[in-house]
Amino acid sequence: MIYAFDTYYYEDYANTVCIAFEDWASEKEVEVFTEQTTITSEYESGAFYKRELPCILSLLNKIVLKEGDIIIVDGYVSLDNNGKIGLGGYLYHALEQKYPVIGIAKNGFATPDSQRRNIIRGESKIPLFLTAKGIDVDEILPEIEQMHGAFRIPTLLKKLDQLSRM
């Protein structure tokens, strides 16, 4: 199963949503998990994970992960060639490196990262940015390119973003 997570922040709480789907070409989700949590820390530039990681880990307590499952986060797994990690990297370590974590970010990151790949989908000229831990980024790249949907953002990831804002 593939589990994609996103969190949207309101004034006094965070709404975290996870969409579970069976394979990369899926048009529809199998299940949706949601949880509202109290915001435990303010946004801190360069330390986004401190705010979002607790939300994802809390929602993961409602999900029984199995061997072979994959997790997607809205953001980065790795940030540079010097080993600096983003939200997905911290999640990968929090899960004891048992499950591959894929980061699909909408905005670019300035520092060079030899493990970051740009993905152009549909007719968009603006790439998505792919990073991963626990799985080869070049192996997963064609899967992300072929995810359902004709636009830059795959159908299920767009739905995930919309659900997190509800």
Side-chain angles (χ1 to χ4, degrees):
M1 192 71 66
I2 303 166
Y3 296 95
F5 288 84
D6 197 6
T7 300
Y8 188 80
Y9 298 91
Y10 293 88
E11 189 172 319
D12 56 351
Y13 71 94
N15 188 42
T16 303
V17 178
C18 171
I19 288 183
F21 51 101
E22 290 181 347
D23 60 56
W24 295 108
S26 295
E27 181 178 353
K28 292 201 171 269
E29 70 277 4
V30 173
E31 194 166 358
V32 175
F33 303 89
T34 62
E35 183 175 62
Q36 294 179 352
T37 55
T38 302
I39 296 174
T40 57
S41 69
E42 293 299 314
Y43 173 77
E44 184 182 330
S45 181
F48 171 67
Y49 72 92
K50 290 181 182 178
R51 192 171 198 201
E52 191 148 334
L53 184 62
C55 299
I56 293 173
L57 290 173
S58 180
L59 186 53
L60 268 168
N61 286 326
K62 297 180 177 182
I63 300 168
V64 178
L65 293 175
K66 298 179 179 75
E67 187 175 336
D69 286 346
I70 296 171
I71 296 172
I72 298 173
V73 296
D74 179 16
Y76 285 92
V77 176
S78 60
L79 296 174
D80 65 22
N81 286 323
N82 297 320
K84 187 173 182 180
I85 58 176
L87 170 65
Y90 285 100
L91 179 59
Y92 182 69
H93 291 293
L95 296 174
E96 300 174 348
Q97 304 175 10
K98 292 180 182 177
Y99 306 96
V101 177
I102 296 166
I104 301 175
K106 297 176 201 88
N107 298 310
F109 199 77
T111 57
D113 181 354
S114 62
Q115 292 302 301
R116 184 182 312 132
R117 301 293 182 265
N118 293 355
I119 299 173
I120 302 290
R121 288 180 36 91
E123 295 181 23
S124 178
K125 303 293 183 237
I126 303 169
L128 293 172
F129 304 94
L130 173 68
T131 53
K133 281 208 178 277
I135 193 166
D136 186 313
V137 72
D138 291 318
E139 177 184 320
I140 207 68
L141 180 109
E143 303 290 3
I144 307 300
E145 289 175 329
Q146 298 302 315
M147 285 180 78
H148 184 271
F151 302 104
R152 177 179 179 239
I153 312 289
T155 302
L156 288 175
L157 299 185
K158 183 168 183 67
K159 182 174 185 175
L160 175 62
D161 181 67
Q162 292 167 340
L163 289 173
S164 71
R165 296 170 187 268
M166 297 175 90

